[in-house]
Amino acid sequence: MTMDKISKQISNRRNKLGLYQSQVGQQANMTQQQYQRIEAGGECKLSSLERIAEAMSLELAMIPKEKLGLVEAVLNASSAAEAMNAIHMISTQFENSAGKESSEAA
């Protein structure tokens, strides 16, 4: 994941929470300017991302690429039913592709 994608997620979360950059910066123990630079896609340390994540009740995670579609579908779902439907569809696709790979190997 690129810093641009991370910064967009940070910005989206801040806006969803209705917070100003200065508020998140203060909660993350950094200046508004430092936070603004990160949200604009500037380079930063992992420890800065951890503080921002903590300030906005986020969890930093590394997701295997083959599972990314599933995670994104669940996160983007507008309801529990939509999330469950997305999980079912993607897991079925995953099982089908795994079955093809194992039959090809045999």
Side-chain angles (χ1 to χ4, degrees), residues 35 48-49 57 67-68 97 101:
Y35 174 80
S48 297
L49 285 178
S57 297
K67 304 286 184 181
L68 186 57
S97 66
E101 289 175 5

Side-chain angles (χ1 to χ4, degrees), residues 66-83:
E66 67 271 11
K67 304 286 184 181
L68 186 57
L70 176 60
V71 172
E72 287 177 340
V74 170
L75 292 176
N76 293 328
S78 58
S79 67
E82 189 177 308

